[in-house]
Each structure stands twice: as C-alpha cells, then as structure tokens.
PDB file of all heavy atoms in Angstrom:
ATOM      1  N   LYS X   3      22.664   8.137  27.439  1.00  0.00           N
ATOM      2  CA  LYS X   3      21.824   8.417  26.236  1.00  0.00           C
ATOM      3  C   LYS X   3      20.413   8.715  26.615  1.00  0.00           C
ATOM      4  O   LYS X   3      19.857   8.172  27.557  1.00  0.00           O
ATOM      5  CB  LYS X   3      21.855   7.221  25.308  1.00  0.00           C
ATOM      6  CG  LYS X   3      23.217   7.007  24.733  1.00  0.00           C
ATOM      7  CD  LYS X   3      23.231   5.801  23.829  1.00  0.00           C
ATOM      8  CE  LYS X   3      24.668   5.586  23.245  1.00  0.00           C
ATOM      9  NZ  LYS X   3      24.690   4.501  22.366  1.00  0.00           N
ATOM     10  N   VAL X   4      19.837   9.710  25.968  1.00  0.00           N
ATOM     11  CA  VAL X   4      18.475  10.169  26.226  1.00  0.00           C
ATOM     12  C   VAL X   4      17.598  10.029  24.967  1.00  0.00           C
ATOM     13  O   VAL X   4      18.039  10.399  23.880  1.00  0.00           O
ATOM     14  CB  VAL X   4      18.475  11.688  26.708  1.00  0.00           C
ATOM     15  CG1 VAL X   4      17.051  12.137  27.063  1.00  0.00           C
ATOM     16  CG2 VAL X   4      19.425  11.914  27.816  1.00  0.00           C
ATOM     17  N   GLY X   5      16.428   9.424  25.182  1.00  0.00           N
ATOM     18  CA  GLY X   5      15.487   9.307  24.101  1.00  0.00           C
ATOM     19  C   GLY X   5      14.103   9.777  24.406  1.00  0.00           C
ATOM     20  O   GLY X   5      13.871  10.070  25.650  1.00  0.00           O
ATOM     21  N   TRP X   6      13.254   9.817  23.500  1.00  0.00           N
ATOM     22  CA  TRP X   6      11.876  10.280  23.806  1.00  0.00           C
ATOM     23  C   TRP X   6      10.869   9.436  23.092  1.00  0.00           C
ATOM     24  O   TRP X   6      11.180   8.911  21.977  1.00  0.00           O
ATOM     25  CB  TRP X   6      11.778  11.750  23.504  1.00  0.00           C
ATOM     26  CG  TRP X   6      11.994  12.144  22.058  1.00  0.00           C
ATOM     27  CD1 TRP X   6      13.217  12.528  21.533  1.00  0.00           C
ATOM     28  CD2 TRP X   6      11.050  12.166  20.995  1.00  0.00           C
ATOM     29  NE1 TRP X   6      13.059  12.841  20.216  1.00  0.00           N
ATOM     30  CE2 TRP X   6      11.787  12.581  19.843  1.00  0.00           C
ATOM     31  CE3 TRP X   6       9.741  11.856  20.799  1.00  0.00           C
ATOM     32  CZ2 TRP X   6      11.219  12.727  18.595  1.00  0.00           C
ATOM     33  CZ3 TRP X   6       9.125  12.008  19.569  1.00  0.00           C
ATOM     34  CH2 TRP X   6       9.874  12.442  18.519  1.00  0.00           C
ATOM     35  N   PHE X   7       9.721   9.277  23.730  1.00  0.00           N
ATOM     36  CA  PHE X   7       8.667   8.511  23.169  1.00  0.00           C
ATOM     37  C   PHE X   7       7.353   9.285  23.450  1.00  0.00           C
ATOM     38  O   PHE X   7       7.081   9.660  24.543  1.00  0.00           O
ATOM     39  CB  PHE X   7       8.524   7.111  23.774  1.00  0.00           C
ATOM     40  CG  PHE X   7       9.788   6.354  23.613  1.00  0.00           C
ATOM     41  CD1 PHE X   7      10.739   6.275  24.607  1.00  0.00           C
ATOM     42  CD2 PHE X   7       9.996   5.594  22.461  1.00  0.00           C
ATOM     43  CE1 PHE X   7      11.888   5.559  24.447  1.00  0.00           C
ATOM     44  CE2 PHE X   7      11.127   4.888  22.234  1.00  0.00           C
ATOM     45  CZ  PHE X   7      12.124   4.811  23.240  1.00  0.00           C
ATOM     46  N   THR X   8       6.587   9.546  22.392  1.00  0.00           N
ATOM     47  CA  THR X   8       5.369  10.399  22.580  1.00  0.00           C
ATOM     48  C   THR X   8       4.154   9.542  23.070  1.00  0.00           C
ATOM     49  O   THR X   8       3.702   9.780  24.205  1.00  0.00           O
ATOM     50  CB  THR X   8       5.057  11.191  21.351  1.00  0.00           C
ATOM     51  OG1 THR X   8       6.250  11.879  20.989  1.00  0.00           O
ATOM     52  CG2 THR X   8       3.904  12.152  21.525  1.00  0.00           C
ATOM     53  N   PRO X   9       3.647   8.601  22.272  1.00  0.00           N
ATOM     54  CA  PRO X   9       2.406   7.913  22.804  1.00  0.00           C
ATOM     55  C   PRO X   9       2.692   6.859  23.862  1.00  0.00           C
ATOM     56  O   PRO X   9       1.841   6.620  24.721  1.00  0.00           O
ATOM     57  CB  PRO X   9       1.853   7.328  21.516  1.00  0.00           C
ATOM     58  CG  PRO X   9       2.969   7.109  20.613  1.00  0.00           C
ATOM     59  CD  PRO X   9       3.994   8.151  20.952  1.00  0.00           C
ATOM     60  N   GLU X  10       3.861   6.266  23.850  1.00  0.00           N
ATOM     61  CA  GLU X  10       4.115   5.121  24.774  1.00  0.00           C
ATOM     62  C   GLU X  10       4.453   5.521  26.199  1.00  0.00           C
ATOM     63  O   GLU X  10       4.365   4.741  27.038  1.00  0.00           O
ATOM     64  CB  GLU X  10       5.274   4.275  24.158  1.00  0.00           C
ATOM     65  CG  GLU X  10       5.037   3.755  22.819  1.00  0.00           C
ATOM     66  CD  GLU X  10       5.531   4.679  21.704  1.00  0.00           C
ATOM     67  OE1 GLU X  10       6.046   5.802  22.018  1.00  0.00           O
ATOM     68  OE2 GLU X  10       5.411   4.360  20.513  1.00  0.00           O
ATOM     69  N   LEU X  11       4.929   6.738  26.389  1.00  0.00           N
ATOM     70  CA  LEU X  11       5.426   7.102  27.724  1.00  0.00           C
ATOM     71  C   LEU X  11       4.507   8.249  28.279  1.00  0.00           C
ATOM     72  O   LEU X  11       4.300   9.261  27.657  1.00  0.00           O
ATOM     73  CB  LEU X  11       6.894   7.560  27.587  1.00  0.00           C
ATOM     74  CG  LEU X  11       7.669   7.736  28.908  1.00  0.00           C
ATOM     75  CD1 LEU X  11       7.694   6.456  29.683  1.00  0.00           C
ATOM     76  CD2 LEU X  11       9.069   8.190  28.592  1.00  0.00           C
ATOM     77  N   ASP X  12       4.075   8.026  29.551  1.00  0.00           N
ATOM     78  CA  ASP X  12       3.318   9.000  30.258  1.00  0.00           C
ATOM     79  C   ASP X  12       4.086  10.326  30.316  1.00  0.00           C
ATOM     80  O   ASP X  12       5.303  10.372  30.623  1.00  0.00           O
ATOM     81  CB  ASP X  12       3.107   8.498  31.714  1.00  0.00           C
ATOM     82  CG  ASP X  12       2.173   9.341  32.500  1.00  0.00           C
ATOM     83  OD1 ASP X  12       2.274  10.592  32.497  1.00  0.00           O
ATOM     84  OD2 ASP X  12       1.336   8.772  33.226  1.00  0.00           O
ATOM     85  N   PRO X  13       3.479  11.524  29.957  1.00  0.00           N
ATOM     86  CA  PRO X  13       4.231  12.761  29.931  1.00  0.00           C
ATOM     87  C   PRO X  13       4.744  13.209  31.306  1.00  0.00           C
ATOM     88  O   PRO X  13       5.605  14.068  31.366  1.00  0.00           O
ATOM     89  CB  PRO X  13       3.244  13.764  29.401  1.00  0.00           C
ATOM     90  CG  PRO X  13       1.855  13.111  29.390  1.00  0.00           C
ATOM     91  CD  PRO X  13       2.128  11.604  29.455  1.00  0.00           C
ATOM     92  N   HIS X  14       4.201  12.633  32.427  1.00  0.00           N
ATOM     93  CA  HIS X  14       4.692  13.032  33.731  1.00  0.00           C
ATOM     94  C   HIS X  14       5.604  11.902  34.341  1.00  0.00           C
ATOM     95  O   HIS X  14       5.760  11.844  35.576  1.00  0.00           O
ATOM     96  CB  HIS X  14       3.475  13.252  34.660  1.00  0.00           C
ATOM     97  CG  HIS X  14       2.685  14.488  34.269  1.00  0.00           C
ATOM     98  ND1 HIS X  14       3.159  15.739  34.505  1.00  0.00           N
ATOM     99  CD2 HIS X  14       1.523  14.604  33.652  1.00  0.00           C
ATOM    100  CE1 HIS X  14       2.216  16.608  34.038  1.00  0.00           C
ATOM    101  NE2 HIS X  14       1.237  15.945  33.505  1.00  0.00           N
ATOM    102  N   LYS X  15       6.220  11.158  33.528  1.00  0.00           N
ATOM    103  CA  LYS X  15       7.052  10.043  34.002  1.00  0.00           C
ATOM    104  C   LYS X  15       8.441  10.101  33.295  1.00  0.00           C
ATOM    105  O   LYS X  15       8.576  10.576  32.164  1.00  0.00           O
ATOM    106  CB  LYS X  15       6.392   8.717  33.713  1.00  0.00           C
ATOM    107  CG  LYS X  15       7.122   7.603  34.355  1.00  0.00           C
ATOM    108  CD  LYS X  15       6.185   6.318  34.416  1.00  0.00           C
ATOM    109  CE  LYS X  15       6.118   5.629  33.068  1.00  0.00           C
ATOM    110  NZ  LYS X  15       5.442   4.312  33.168  1.00  0.00           N
ATOM    111  N   LEU X  16       9.415   9.633  34.034  1.00  0.00           N
ATOM    112  CA  LEU X  16      10.802   9.544  33.474  1.00  0.00           C
ATOM    113  C   LEU X  16      11.146   8.044  33.597  1.00  0.00           C
ATOM    114  O   LEU X  16      11.030   7.466  34.714  1.00  0.00           O
ATOM    115  CB  LEU X  16      11.792  10.409  34.320  1.00  0.00           C
ATOM    116  CG  LEU X  16      13.149  10.497  33.904  1.00  0.00           C
ATOM    117  CD1 LEU X  16      13.299  11.460  32.684  1.00  0.00           C
ATOM    118  CD2 LEU X  16      14.045  11.052  35.079  1.00  0.00           C
ATOM    119  N   LEU X  17      11.723   7.442  32.591  1.00  0.00           N
ATOM    120  CA  LEU X  17      12.143   6.048  32.592  1.00  0.00           C
ATOM    121  C   LEU X  17      13.616   6.076  32.565  1.00  0.00           C
ATOM    122  O   LEU X  17      14.274   6.669  31.747  1.00  0.00           O
ATOM    123  CB  LEU X  17      11.572   5.385  31.281  1.00  0.00           C
ATOM    124  CG  LEU X  17      12.062   4.018  31.016  1.00  0.00           C
ATOM    125  CD1 LEU X  17      11.535   3.003  31.958  1.00  0.00           C
ATOM    126  CD2 LEU X  17      11.648   3.580  29.552  1.00  0.00           C
ATOM    127  N   LEU X  18      14.228   5.285  33.481  1.00  0.00           N
ATOM    128  CA  LEU X  18      15.694   5.141  33.610  1.00  0.00           C
ATOM    129  C   LEU X  18      16.053   3.690  33.460  1.00  0.00           C
ATOM    130  O   LEU X  18      15.358   2.776  34.020  1.00  0.00           O
ATOM    131  CB  LEU X  18      16.181   5.609  34.917  1.00  0.00           C
ATOM    132  CG  LEU X  18      15.821   7.110  35.233  1.00  0.00           C
ATOM    133  CD1 LEU X  18      14.822   7.224  36.358  1.00  0.00           C
ATOM    134  CD2 LEU X  18      17.086   7.856  35.615  1.00  0.00           C
ATOM    135  N   LEU X  19      17.085   3.407  32.689  1.00  0.00           N
ATOM    136  CA  LEU X  19      17.586   2.051  32.395  1.00  0.00           C
ATOM    137  C   LEU X  19      19.026   1.945  32.887  1.00  0.00           C
ATOM    138  O   LEU X  19      19.844   2.856  32.631  1.00  0.00           O
ATOM    139  CB  LEU X  19      17.432   1.684  30.986  1.00  0.00           C
ATOM    140  CG  LEU X  19      16.060   1.750  30.386  1.00  0.00           C
ATOM    141  CD1 LEU X  19      16.102   1.558  28.880  1.00  0.00           C
ATOM    142  CD2 LEU X  19      15.256   0.548  30.919  1.00  0.00           C
ATOM    143  N   SER X  20      19.386   0.803  33.445  1.00  0.00           N
ATOM    144  CA  SER X  20      20.750   0.498  33.796  1.00  0.00           C
ATOM    145  C   SER X  20      21.056  -0.817  33.251  1.00  0.00           C
ATOM    146  O   SER X  20      20.398  -1.854  33.460  1.00  0.00           O
ATOM    147  CB  SER X  20      20.868   0.453  35.400  1.00  0.00           C
ATOM    148  OG  SER X  20      22.207   0.174  35.715  1.00  0.00           O
ATOM    149  N   TYR X  21      22.173  -0.912  32.508  1.00  0.00           N
ATOM    150  CA  TYR X  21      22.560  -2.144  31.849  1.00  0.00           C
ATOM    151  C   TYR X  21      22.751  -3.262  32.927  1.00  0.00           C
ATOM    152  O   TYR X  21      23.543  -3.112  33.831  1.00  0.00           O
ATOM    153  CB  TYR X  21      23.817  -1.956  31.040  1.00  0.00           C
ATOM    154  CG  TYR X  21      24.302  -3.267  30.415  1.00  0.00           C
ATOM    155  CD1 TYR X  21      23.646  -3.725  29.284  1.00  0.00           C
ATOM    156  CD2 TYR X  21      25.375  -3.893  30.895  1.00  0.00           C
ATOM    157  CE1 TYR X  21      24.102  -4.892  28.720  1.00  0.00           C
ATOM    158  CE2 TYR X  21      25.811  -5.062  30.317  1.00  0.00           C
ATOM    159  CZ  TYR X  21      25.164  -5.558  29.172  1.00  0.00           C
ATOM    160  OH  TYR X  21      25.565  -6.699  28.601  1.00  0.00           O
ATOM    161  N   GLY X  22      21.985  -4.342  32.832  1.00  0.00           N
ATOM    162  CA  GLY X  22      22.124  -5.446  33.686  1.00  0.00           C
ATOM    163  C   GLY X  22      21.547  -5.290  35.032  1.00  0.00           C
ATOM    164  O   GLY X  22      21.484  -6.188  35.853  1.00  0.00           O
ATOM    165  N   ALA X  23      21.027  -4.052  35.349  1.00  0.00           N
ATOM    166  CA  ALA X  23      20.440  -3.814  36.669  1.00  0.00           C
ATOM    167  C   ALA X  23      18.946  -3.617  36.684  1.00  0.00           C
ATOM    168  O   ALA X  23      18.322  -3.860  37.701  1.00  0.00           O
ATOM    169  CB  ALA X  23      21.173  -2.657  37.327  1.00  0.00           C
ATOM    170  N   GLY X  24      18.387  -3.092  35.597  1.00  0.00           N
ATOM    171  CA  GLY X  24      16.966  -2.948  35.580  1.00  0.00           C
ATOM    172  C   GLY X  24      16.420  -1.620  35.041  1.00  0.00           C
ATOM    173  O   GLY X  24      17.173  -0.877  34.479  1.00  0.00           O
ATOM    174  N   ARG X  25      15.106  -1.445  35.295  1.00  0.00           N
ATOM    175  CA  ARG X  25      14.395  -0.293  34.843  1.00  0.00           C
ATOM    176  C   ARG X  25      13.703   0.321  35.996  1.00  0.00           C
ATOM    177  O   ARG X  25      13.141  -0.393  36.889  1.00  0.00           O
ATOM    178  CB  ARG X  25      13.409  -0.770  33.756  1.00  0.00           C
ATOM    179  CG  ARG X  25      12.327   0.235  33.487  1.00  0.00           C
ATOM    180  CD  ARG X  25      11.214  -0.371  32.656  1.00  0.00           C
ATOM    181  NE  ARG X  25      10.050   0.538  32.675  1.00  0.00           N
ATOM    182  CZ  ARG X  25       9.146   0.579  31.746  1.00  0.00           C
ATOM    183  NH1 ARG X  25       9.186  -0.238  30.732  1.00  0.00           N
ATOM    184  NH2 ARG X  25       8.127   1.370  31.826  1.00  0.00           N
ATOM    185  N   TRP X  26      13.556   1.695  35.971  1.00  0.00           N
ATOM    186  CA  TRP X  26      12.862   2.352  37.065  1.00  0.00           C
ATOM    187  C   TRP X  26      12.032   3.465  36.391  1.00  0.00           C
ATOM    188  O   TRP X  26      12.429   4.105  35.419  1.00  0.00           O
ATOM    189  CB  TRP X  26      13.864   2.977  38.072  1.00  0.00           C
ATOM    190  CG  TRP X  26      14.771   1.890  38.643  1.00  0.00           C
ATOM    191  CD1 TRP X  26      14.461   1.074  39.714  1.00  0.00           C
ATOM    192  CD2 TRP X  26      16.050   1.578  38.271  1.00  0.00           C
ATOM    193  NE1 TRP X  26      15.497   0.254  39.933  1.00  0.00           N
ATOM    194  CE2 TRP X  26      16.484   0.516  39.092  1.00  0.00           C
ATOM    195  CE3 TRP X  26      16.953   2.074  37.260  1.00  0.00           C
ATOM    196  CZ2 TRP X  26      17.720  -0.052  38.941  1.00  0.00           C
ATOM    197  CZ3 TRP X  26      18.164   1.437  37.100  1.00  0.00           C
ATOM    198  CH2 TRP X  26      18.557   0.446  37.992  1.00  0.00           C
ATOM    199  N   ASP X  27      10.906   3.685  36.986  1.00  0.00           N
ATOM    200  CA  ASP X  27       9.969   4.741  36.517  1.00  0.00           C
ATOM    201  C   ASP X  27       9.764   5.724  37.680  1.00  0.00           C
ATOM    202  O   ASP X  27       9.345   5.364  38.791  1.00  0.00           O
ATOM    203  CB  ASP X  27       8.617   4.083  36.154  1.00  0.00           C
ATOM    204  CG  ASP X  27       8.747   3.122  35.045  1.00  0.00           C
ATOM    205  OD1 ASP X  27       8.772   3.577  33.875  1.00  0.00           O
ATOM    206  OD2 ASP X  27       8.821   1.899  35.290  1.00  0.00           O
ATOM    207  N   LEU X  28      10.011   7.006  37.370  1.00  0.00           N
ATOM    208  CA  LEU X  28       9.801   8.091  38.409  1.00  0.00           C
ATOM    209  C   LEU X  28       8.727   8.975  37.874  1.00  0.00           C
ATOM    210  O   LEU X  28       8.723   9.431  36.764  1.00  0.00           O
ATOM    211  CB  LEU X  28      11.156   8.828  38.543  1.00  0.00           C
ATOM    212  CG  LEU X  28      12.299   8.131  39.180  1.00  0.00           C
ATOM    213  CD1 LEU X  28      13.516   9.029  39.271  1.00  0.00           C
ATOM    214  CD2 LEU X  28      11.997   7.572  40.519  1.00  0.00           C
ATOM    215  N   LEU X  29       7.905   9.396  38.838  1.00  0.00           N
ATOM    216  CA  LEU X  29       6.938  10.508  38.633  1.00  0.00           C
ATOM    217  C   LEU X  29       7.779  11.817  38.519  1.00  0.00           C
ATOM    218  O   LEU X  29       8.706  12.020  39.394  1.00  0.00           O
ATOM    219  CB  LEU X  29       5.981  10.628  39.849  1.00  0.00           C
ATOM    220  CG  LEU X  29       5.126  11.911  39.890  1.00  0.00           C
ATOM    221  CD1 LEU X  29       4.112  11.904  38.828  1.00  0.00           C
ATOM    222  CD2 LEU X  29       4.508  11.957  41.271  1.00  0.00           C
ATOM    223  N   VAL X  30       7.504  12.604  37.509  1.00  0.00           N
ATOM    224  CA  VAL X  30       8.164  13.934  37.413  1.00  0.00           C
ATOM    225  C   VAL X  30       7.191  14.948  37.905  1.00  0.00           C
ATOM    226  O   VAL X  30       6.161  15.189  37.276  1.00  0.00           O
ATOM    227  CB  VAL X  30       8.623  14.218  35.963  1.00  0.00           C
ATOM    228  CG1 VAL X  30       9.260  15.563  35.869  1.00  0.00           C
ATOM    229  CG2 VAL X  30       9.553  13.141  35.450  1.00  0.00           C
ATOM    230  N   ILE X  31       7.540  15.550  39.040  1.00  0.00           N
ATOM    231  CA  ILE X  31       6.681  16.653  39.601  1.00  0.00           C
ATOM    232  C   ILE X  31       7.004  17.916  38.917  1.00  0.00           C
ATOM    233  O   ILE X  31       8.195  18.262  38.741  1.00  0.00           O
ATOM    234  CB  ILE X  31       6.901  16.739  41.130  1.00  0.00           C
ATOM    235  CG1 ILE X  31       6.572  15.393  41.817  1.00  0.00           C
ATOM    236  CG2 ILE X  31       6.153  17.878  41.730  1.00  0.00           C
ATOM    237  CD1 ILE X  31       7.084  15.327  43.229  1.00  0.00           C
ATOM    238  N   PRO X  32       6.000  18.631  38.386  1.00  0.00           N
ATOM    239  CA  PRO X  32       6.309  19.887  37.628  1.00  0.00           C
ATOM    240  C   PRO X  32       7.167  20.810  38.471  1.00  0.00           C
ATOM    241  O   PRO X  32       6.960  20.979  39.658  1.00  0.00           O
ATOM    242  CB  PRO X  32       4.865  20.482  37.401  1.00  0.00           C
ATOM    243  CG  PRO X  32       3.982  19.277  37.374  1.00  0.00           C
ATOM    244  CD  PRO X  32       4.580  18.316  38.416  1.00  0.00           C
ATOM    245  N   PRO X  33       8.181  21.415  37.878  1.00  0.00           N
ATOM    246  CA  PRO X  33       9.119  22.285  38.587  1.00  0.00           C
ATOM    247  C   PRO X  33       8.458  23.447  39.373  1.00  0.00           C
ATOM    248  O   PRO X  33       8.896  23.833  40.388  1.00  0.00           O
ATOM    249  CB  PRO X  33      10.078  22.839  37.498  1.00  0.00           C
ATOM    250  CG  PRO X  33       9.951  21.887  36.425  1.00  0.00           C
ATOM    251  CD  PRO X  33       8.630  21.252  36.470  1.00  0.00           C
ATOM    252  N   GLY X  34       7.351  23.963  38.811  1.00  0.00           N
ATOM    253  CA  GLY X  34       6.695  25.046  39.427  1.00  0.00           C
ATOM    254  C   GLY X  34       5.720  24.718  40.571  1.00  0.00           C
ATOM    255  O   GLY X  34       5.064  25.574  41.099  1.00  0.00           O
ATOM    256  N   SER X  35       5.713  23.437  40.946  1.00  0.00           N
ATOM    257  CA  SER X  35       4.803  23.022  42.006  1.00  0.00           C
ATOM    258  C   SER X  35       5.132  23.644  43.321  1.00  0.00           C
ATOM    259  O   SER X  35       6.336  23.885  43.632  1.00  0.00           O
ATOM    260  CB  SER X  35       4.802  21.446  42.165  1.00  0.00           C
ATOM    261  OG  SER X  35       4.429  20.819  40.954  1.00  0.00           O
ATOM    262  N   THR X  36       4.138  23.789  44.171  1.00  0.00           N
ATOM    263  CA  THR X  36       4.428  24.274  45.571  1.00  0.00           C
ATOM    264  C   THR X  36       5.085  23.152  46.362  1.00  0.00           C
ATOM    265  O   THR X  36       4.993  21.968  45.979  1.00  0.00           O
ATOM    266  CB  THR X  36       3.112  24.671  46.220  1.00  0.00           C
ATOM    267  OG1 THR X  36       2.306  23.518  46.397  1.00  0.00           O
ATOM    268  CG2 THR X  36       2.388  25.758  45.455  1.00  0.00           C
ATOM    269  N   ALA X  37       5.760  23.531  47.390  1.00  0.00           N
ATOM    270  CA  ALA X  37       6.357  22.535  48.264  1.00  0.00           C
ATOM    271  C   ALA X  37       5.344  21.563  48.875  1.00  0.00           C
ATOM    272  O   ALA X  37       5.578  20.349  48.975  1.00  0.00           O
ATOM    273  CB  ALA X  37       7.176  23.237  49.401  1.00  0.00           C
ATOM    274  N   ALA X  38       4.181  22.058  49.204  1.00  0.00           N
ATOM    275  CA  ALA X  38       3.154  21.182  49.782  1.00  0.00           C
ATOM    276  C   ALA X  38       2.635  20.180  48.709  1.00  0.00           C
ATOM    277  O   ALA X  38       2.507  18.996  48.981  1.00  0.00           O
ATOM    278  CB  ALA X  38       1.930  22.036  50.235  1.00  0.00           C
ATOM    279  N   SER X  39       2.416  20.644  47.514  1.00  0.00           N
ATOM    280  CA  SER X  39       2.011  19.739  46.459  1.00  0.00           C
ATOM    281  C   SER X  39       3.072  18.699  46.127  1.00  0.00           C
ATOM    282  O   SER X  39       2.804  17.518  45.990  1.00  0.00           O
ATOM    283  CB  SER X  39       1.693  20.553  45.188  1.00  0.00           C
ATOM    284  OG  SER X  39       1.348  19.686  44.129  1.00  0.00           O
ATOM    285  N   ALA X  40       4.324  19.133  46.107  1.00  0.00           N
ATOM    286  CA  ALA X  40       5.441  18.239  45.821  1.00  0.00           C
ATOM    287  C   ALA X  40       5.562  17.145  46.906  1.00  0.00           C
ATOM    288  O   ALA X  40       5.786  15.982  46.703  1.00  0.00           O
ATOM    289  CB  ALA X  40       6.744  18.963  45.660  1.00  0.00           C
ATOM    290  N   ALA X  41       5.408  17.584  48.153  1.00  0.00           N
ATOM    291  CA  ALA X  41       5.434  16.596  49.307  1.00  0.00           C
ATOM    292  C   ALA X  41       4.316  15.588  49.194  1.00  0.00           C
ATOM    293  O   ALA X  41       4.569  14.362  49.426  1.00  0.00           O
ATOM    294  CB  ALA X  41       5.340  17.381  50.634  1.00  0.00           C
ATOM    295  N   ARG X  42       3.112  15.974  48.824  1.00  0.00           N
ATOM    296  CA  ARG X  42       2.044  15.031  48.693  1.00  0.00           C
ATOM    297  C   ARG X  42       2.292  14.042  47.583  1.00  0.00           C
ATOM    298  O   ARG X  42       2.088  12.794  47.697  1.00  0.00           O
ATOM    299  CB  ARG X  42       0.738  15.773  48.376  1.00  0.00           C
ATOM    300  CG  ARG X  42       0.091  16.517  49.554  1.00  0.00           C
ATOM    301  CD  ARG X  42      -1.324  16.920  49.236  1.00  0.00           C
ATOM    302  NE  ARG X  42      -1.411  17.837  48.093  1.00  0.00           N
ATOM    303  CZ  ARG X  42      -1.237  19.186  48.100  1.00  0.00           C
ATOM    304  NH1 ARG X  42      -0.994  19.770  49.245  1.00  0.00           N
ATOM    305  NH2 ARG X  42      -1.377  19.873  47.018  1.00  0.00           N
TER     306      ARG X  42
END
C-alpha cells in the first residue's frame, strides 16, 4: 500500500514500513542527478 503526506513528510524522503519489523527512512536522490552527486 502506498500513501502520501504533504506537510508531515520531507519531499526528498521515502518512508517504508514492515509489519512487525519496523520503519525505515530513505533519502530519495533526484533521478536526474549526476553520478558524482548521487555518490556523494
């Protein structure tokens, strides 16, 4: 299931939930970024 939150969630972050296992937050690097920028 996918949901969205406007003010509560950083626009450059993805929140993942696993039942009984926890929550994880990932930085979302813009798709058009250069390889050097993505590596940094």
Side-chain angles (χ1 to χ4, degrees):
K3 294 183 179 178
V4 182
W6 57 269
F7 301 95
T8 307
E10 300 90 358
L11 192 59
D12 188 316
H14 292 286
K15 188 164 78 170
L16 184 78
L17 170 70
L18 301 110
L19 298 168
S20 177
Y21 178 74
R25 162 192 167 155
W26 302 279
D27 298 278
L28 294 178
L29 167 70
V30 178
I31 299 168
S35 299
T36 64
S39 175
R42 286 191 303 272

